[in-house]
C-alpha cells in the first residue's frame, strides 16, 4: 500500500486479515454503546426469531472493519493518514453472527486533491467485509484525508 497521497492510485487494492466476532465483543460493545437490543443480547428470544440466534451490532461490525483496515496499513501509510473524513453508501448486507470471522477487501476508487491545512487530498476506498463463507456482510465507501 502507498503512503503519501501522490503515491495512491485508483485501482490499488488489498485484503485484511480476519477477525472472529466473539461473545466478549458483543457484550463489551453493548456496555460501551448502551445498545442492549434483544437482537444482540437475548439468546432465548433470538432462538425463535428468523435469525435463529443473536447477531452482532451493525456498529460493532463497522468498528471492526475500521480496525482491520488500520491494522492492514504499513507504517508509511499510517504516518500519512490525517483523518477519517466520512462514509458514503454504508450498507449492512447480511447479519454477522457470534463466531463469524470477517475480513475486508478494499479498493481505491477515487482520489481528489483538496486545499487543506494538513492534508493533500481525500482518498475514497470501496470497502467490503466478507464472512468465512466469502459472503458480503457490509459495504461502504470510506473517505480519508491523507498527506
Amino acid at each position: 500500500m502507498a503512503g503519501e497521497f501522490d503515491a495512491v492510485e485508483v485501482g490499488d487494492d488489498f485484503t485484511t486479515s480476519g477477525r472472529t466476532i466473539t461473545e466478549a465483543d458483543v457484550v463489551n460493545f453493548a456496555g460501551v454503546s448502551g445498545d442492549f437490543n434483544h437482537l444482540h443480547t437475548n439468546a432465548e428470544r433470538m432462538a425463535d426469531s428468523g435469525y435463529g440466534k443473536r447477531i452482532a451490532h451493525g456498529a460493532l461490525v463497522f468498528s471492526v472493519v475500521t480496525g482491520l483496515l488500520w491494522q492492514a496499513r504499513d507504517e508509511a501509510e499510517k504516518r500519512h493518514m490525517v483523518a477519517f473524513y466520512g462514509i458514503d453508501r454504508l450498507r449492512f448486507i447480511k447479519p454477522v453472527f457470534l463466531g463469524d470471522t470477517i475480513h475486508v477487501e478494499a479498493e481505491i476508487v477515487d482520489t481528489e486533491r483538496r486545499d487543506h491545512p494538513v492534508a493533500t487530498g481525500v482518498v475514497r476506498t470501496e470497502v467490503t467485509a466478507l464472512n468465512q463463507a466469502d459472503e458480503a456482510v457490509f459495504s461502504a465507501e470510506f473517505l480519508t484525508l491523507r498527506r
Side-chain angles (χ1 to χ4, degrees):
M1 286 178 282
E4 63 190 51
F5 178 83
D6 289 328
V8 175
E9 294 185 20
V10 171
D12 289 349
D13 63 352
F14 61 97
T15 299
T16 72
S17 61
R19 184 174 185 295
T20 301
I21 305 301
T22 67
E23 169 83 18
D25 293 329
V26 171
V27 170
N28 288 329
F29 194 83
V32 168
S33 67
D35 181 350
F36 293 95
N37 186 307
H38 70 274
L39 294 167
H40 319 301
T41 61
N42 188 328
E44 185 174 320
R45 185 169 174 187
M46 289 306 292
D48 293 330
S49 73
Y51 295 114
K53 53 188 171 180
R54 292 181 296 154
I55 62 173
H57 304 75
L60 169 60
V61 173
F62 167 80
S63 297
V64 168
V65 166
T66 65
L68 288 170
L69 289 169
W70 181 254
Q71 292 167 24
R73 298 183 194 292
D74 63 27
E75 289 306 312
E77 190 171 12
K78 287 178 180 178
R79 280 193 306 275
H80 287 91
M81 299 299 272
V82 173
F84 186 32
Y85 186 65
I87 308 161
D88 289 340
R89 300 186 318 106
L90 181 133
R91 295 291 181 270
F92 299 104
I93 301 166
K94 286 187 169 212
V96 173
F97 298 101
L98 283 70
D100 281 357
T101 299
I102 62 173
H103 72 276
V104 177
E105 295 180 357
E107 180 180 353
I108 306 300
V109 294
D110 191 32
T111 61
E112 179 184 338
R113 285 194 171 280
R114 291 279 175 97
D115 183 19
H116 187 276
V118 179
T120 302
V122 174
V123 175
R124 180 179 296 270
T125 306
E126 178 69 35
V127 173
T128 304
L130 299 105
N131 64 19
Q132 64 278 358
D134 281 331
E135 301 168 320
V137 297
F138 169 98
S139 69
E141 288 185 351
F142 283 13
L143 288 79
T144 54
L145 288 171
R146 196 174 301 208
R147 287 186 179 85

